[in-house]
Amino acid sequence: MKYWSQTFIPTLKESPSDAEIASHKLLLRAGLVRKLGGGLYTFMPAGLRVLRKISELCREEMDRAGAIELAMPFIHPVENWQDGPRWAAAREIMYRVDHAGAGKGRSREPEFVLGPTHEEVITPLVKSEITSYRDLPKNFYQIGTKFRNEIRPRYGLMRAREFVMKDAYSFDATDESAVVSYNKMKAAYLAFFARCGLKTIAVEADTGVMGGSFSHEFMVPAPVGDDDIVYCDESGYSANREKATSGLVPKDFTDAAPAGALEEFATPGVVTIAALAAAPYSVAADKQFKTLVYMGDGKPFLVILRGCDELEEAKLGALGFQLCRPATAEEIEPVLGAKPGSLGAVKGTIKNFAALAGVFADHAIHLVGNGTTGANKDGFHLRNVNVVRDLQITQWGDFRTVRAGEPDVKSGHPLKMARAIEVGHVFKLGTKYSEKFGAVYTDDQKQSHLMVMGCYGIGISRTLQAVVEQSNDADGIVWPWHVAPWQVLIVNLDPQDAAAAELCKKMALAAEAAGADVLIDDRAERPGVKFKDADLIGLPLRLTVGGRGLKEGIFELKWRNAKEVTKVPVADAEGVVTQAVRDAASKA
RNA sequence: CGGGGUGUAGCUUAGUCUGGUAGAGCGCCUGGUUUGGGACCAGGAGGUCGUAGGUUCGAAUCCUAUCGCCCCGACCA
């Protein structure tokens, strides 16, 4: 048991002005964290307890799933990253480690970086330690601090420069086995989040810089989330918007026949979809082809969409480039022969087709049938452009952003969209890293094979805040049982009264024996202050002891997530407390 | 990095437009009265007004630069 006067829980009546959302305000007000700088937070004693509880729950689920704990350095030799498959994309988010000396600085490349994740460390380790199929599969995990130079830290612990993460890495002999490892982790994640009292949904996700063949994200629905998820209740489909697809183009769709001969017409000054949709041209956006130019690892390529659609940049990842960015006007003109606003992909109009890495068309342009597009000649467009006959397409794909209301692929019901916080992500990596680092094993036929990898992350500190975001009311935090810093708060309204102190201690021992952590508020504060703080810090079970009740021979029992207050005879104290704790623990 | 805000005591802030040498509430300290939902009275401590220049007799206030922080976008657990 812990006495409030013996620990440090600095609660605040008002929230600091730089906190915007409920969970961030409550973390500060309940004295769980304090800010050092943007995206940098100190865990105060109570906050640290929550962090440890969540870590421990995670550890238990990882162990149960057969993962093996280890601890890798936070500081990485930069060579590990330079030798890896994503140095170009990942270096931007890494902090370089330098000596703080004021003397001669180094002019070479940085020698060390702070680890943002550990594929580049674990893969070489496993390469040198595991060489036989007999030692596979293996799944290693750790819980520790990660460092990322976030472009914009936000919302307290939600997106921080330094945060606590559980990361796991699986190594399998075969692809089938890797899928088994992946599914084990997925199940462990669901169990873990459930024990944290979090409602999460697993969604199909984009693999991003991490790479790999497929992935799922674990999302906590919340308006303050950074991600949009797309889902269908009928079919059970759910995906991150970056990855989501819809059944916009029917399976049996047949392309429209050409409507007439290609025809060039002058459109002076028209450089936007909207301008062409307006009078006097009046070409509806869904009858236009949108031609975007991107640079993939230095080589330009085109993406063709319906005029009314938006490009989902994450989907360009499927094209296999390391780095993609929009091309500049200077890069576009020599290749296409026109400035942005008059671009198109009609056969024969592209000035230097050979310079392109490809022309990638979104399936939805089938719906345009015959439409209008830029003529690759400034101030001119082409009409009667037929998708099949006229466009010079090298590859079809899904590149557009799905919108709410579009039909689900399976059920045909309208898709819904919601904001969510990403608290976990599992990736089936494949051999991207094992190939680069040469992580191979020998099978029972003396043959060498690449190990098949998976990686699995949980934002421990983000999960902490997500719990608060999902579980609070006007008075404060409402902690789920297993992640509360303490499960039971005993409020002693008369700490100088020996009988009250004695009863508090007796109940604390009973609660502890039943498996709960107990905090006793023994401060010399007025009752109002204690009740307000009790609600604010949000421990699940509150037991109130005071002189007034003791005269009647009772104390009070109240659950943070309920309104009712139960009066309990002092004589029954130990039994009632024991039972309450056991009930709560078994239900949670 | 682009756009929008904002920096005054530990926290929340007034004062800034219209320059005259900083005020309140909470918290903290002392004493008293209180004591079941953030008490009251009296007294007290605490501020280089983010920083550096400039204008001016005089700058929290005007100008310039710079830094921090918050929000919106790209990035991520």
Side-chain angles (χ1 to χ4, degrees):
Chain A
M1 76 189 73
K2 179 64 85 179
Y3 286 91
W4 193 309
S5 65
Q6 303 299 309
T7 180
F8 191 62
I9 309 173
T11 57
L12 300 170
K13 282 191 185 175
E14 294 176 284
S15 32
S17 55
D18 51 12
E20 193 99 344
I21 66 170
S23 55
H24 188 197
K25 288 178 181 173
L26 288 171
L27 288 176
L28 291 163
R29 287 192 55 211
L32 298 167
V33 302
R34 286 293 183 262
K35 186 169 77 175
L36 173 64
L40 301 170
Y41 286 83
T42 296
F43 283 89
M44 301 299 278
L48 181 59
R49 286 187 65 90
V50 181
L51 193 66
R52 289 213 172 119
K53 292 216 170 176
I54 294 175
S55 301
E56 194 49 38
L57 290 175
C58 185
R59 191 170 276 123
E60 285 173 24
E61 293 304 330
M62 287 299 110
D63 290 344
R64 197 197 309 277
I68 307 158
E69 187 170 14
L70 47 60
M72 290 178 267
F74 298 150
I75 298 180
H76 301 175
V78 75
E79 289 79 9
N80 283 57
W81 285 87
Q82 288 167 334
D83 295 347
R86 54 174 168 172
W87 169 239
R91 62 184 303 180
E92 296 304 323
I93 64 153
M94 286 194 279
Y95 290 105
R96 67 164 67 174
V97 181
D98 213 342
H99 61 98
K104 297 167 195 159
R106 296 196 171 101
S107 54
R108 291 182 281 145
E109 279 288 286
E111 296 186 311
F112 296 100
V113 293
L114 290 177
T117 169
H118 281 69
E119 284 79 5
E120 276 76 355
V121 174
I122 189 87
T123 314
L125 176 76
V126 168
K127 167 198 160 64
S128 61
E129 298 299 326
I130 296 181
T131 51
S132 162
Y133 74 98
R134 294 174 191 276
D135 289 325
L136 296 175
K138 283 281 182 290
N139 187 349
F140 297 103
Y141 80 97
Q142 60 176 352
I143 296 173
T145 306
K146 296 283 182 278
F147 304 88
R148 293 186 191 174
N149 189 10
E150 288 292 341
I151 306 161
R152 186 159 84 85
R154 198 150 75 111
Y155 293 157
L157 305 177
M158 210 69 102
R159 195 199 287 163
R161 293 196 158 102
E162 185 189 309
F163 59 99
V164 179
M165 176 168 155
K166 186 285 304 178
D167 46 326
Y169 308 90
S170 66
F171 297 83
D172 282 87
T174 65
D175 207 62
E176 301 78 64
S177 169
V179 171
V180 172
S181 295
Y182 180 90
N183 286 330
K184 265 192 208 165
M185 279 292 109
K186 214 176 139 196
Y189 272 41
L190 289 170
F192 163 71
F193 290 120
R195 289 182 74 192
C196 288
L198 266 183
K199 293 187 189 69
T200 55
I201 44 179
V203 305
E204 293 176 22
D206 181 67
T207 53
V209 174
M210 197 65 81
S213 36
F214 58 87
S215 82
H216 284 85
E217 285 168 336
F218 293 79
M219 296 293 200
V220 178
V224 300
D226 273 348
D227 291 86
D228 288 309
I229 57 174
V230 173
Y231 61 98
C232 172
D233 294 327
E234 282 73 17
S235 72
Y237 175 76
S238 60
N240 191 307
R241 197 197 66 190
E242 294 178 345
K243 176 82 176 177
T245 58
S246 70
L248 203 58
V249 184
K251 287 193 182 74
D252 56 358
F253 185 82
T254 45
D255 282 295
L262 272 180
E263 189 185 324
E264 187 178 281
F265 62 107
T267 50
V270 172
V271 294
T272 62
I273 300 285
L276 196 59
Y281 309 104
S282 302
V283 182
D286 62 0
K287 283 293 167 190
Q288 299 185 36
F289 297 99
K290 181 187 279 188
T291 307
L292 301 173
V293 189
Y294 270 71
M295 302 296 286
D297 297 340
K299 215 174 171 196
F301 64 89
L302 304 187
V303 183
I304 315 300
L305 300 162
R306 290 193 301 171
C308 58
D309 283 337
E310 295 300 322
L311 171 67
E312 184 60 64
E313 281 199 30
K315 291 181 178 176
L316 296 180
L319 300 176
F321 299 108
Q322 272 208 36
L323 280 179
C324 283
R325 63 167 174 83
T328 62
E330 291 70 36
E331 289 165 335
I332 292 169
E333 209 173 344
V335 181
L336 278 288
K339 295 188 182 70
S342 304
L343 306 179
V346 172
K347 288 170 186 166
T349 65
I350 298 172
K351 190 175 171 189
N352 185 3
F353 185 81
L356 292 174
V359 178
F360 306 105
D362 185 85
H363 297 300
I365 67 168
H366 284 297
L367 299 173
V368 178
N370 295 287
T372 300
T373 191
N376 288 327
K377 194 165 137 189
D378 288 336
F380 290 91
H381 279 75
L382 292 166
R383 62 168 68 103
N384 294 333
V385 176
N386 182 266
V387 170
V388 180
R389 180 190 65 186
D390 300 318
L391 293 181
Q392 191 152 18
I393 290 160
T394 57
Q395 188 181 325
W396 289 86
D398 172 32
F399 302 107
R400 61 185 292 279
T401 302
V402 165
R403 289 193 186 84
E406 290 174 9
D408 177 55
V409 175
K410 275 189 211 154
S411 71
H413 280 80
L415 290 167
K416 293 177 187 164
M417 203 175 276
R419 297 292 284 180
I421 301 163
E422 180 189 353
V423 287
H425 203 158
V426 294
F427 297 85
K428 180 168 172 295
L429 286 176
T431 56
K432 175 175 174 177
Y433 294 86
S434 42
E435 190 175 343
K436 197 76 184 179
F437 288 106
V440 297
Y441 68 95
T442 308
D443 69 12
D444 58 356
Q445 305 297 311
K446 302 178 187 170
Q447 297 294 308
S448 270
H449 302 281
L450 290 170
M451 297 181 198
V452 185
M453 291 176 60
C455 72
Y456 317 92
I458 288 176
I460 299 288
S461 44
R462 181 183 282 180
T463 296
L464 189 164
Q465 186 165 349
V467 170
V468 176
E469 186 64 31
Q470 196 176 77
S471 192
N472 69 76
D473 63 19
D475 294 315
I477 301 172
V478 183
W479 284 115
W481 186 260
H482 291 299
V483 298
W486 295 271
Q487 277 85 33
V488 179
L489 174 65
I490 301 179
V491 181
N492 187 351
L493 297 178
D494 294 287
Q496 74 294 342
D497 180 314
E502 189 54 37
L503 177 59
C504 289
K505 194 167 179 185
K506 207 158 72 171
M507 292 196 298
L509 289 170
E512 282 184 341
D517 295 322
V518 181
L519 178 68
I520 300 175
D521 187 354
D522 60 335
R523 295 173 300 164
E525 291 286 351
R526 294 169 53 82
V529 173
K530 294 193 169 196
F531 288 129
K532 286 290 184 190
D533 274 350
D535 288 342
L536 180 58
I537 70 168
L539 307 190
L541 179 59
R542 188 182 86 192
L543 306 170
T544 308
V545 174
R548 181 190 289 184
L550 286 180
K551 274 181 204 151
E552 302 170 34
I554 58 116
F555 68 93
E556 287 168 6
L557 182 152
K558 181 182 178 300
W559 296 98
R560 179 62 179 85
N561 62 5
K563 281 233 183 298
E564 316 81 62
V565 176
T566 311
K567 296 192 176 186
V568 183
V570 169
D572 300 343
E574 285 164 299
V576 168
V577 169
T578 301
Q579 197 55 46
V581 168
R582 286 190 182 149
D583 286 353
S586 67
K587 270 187 283 178

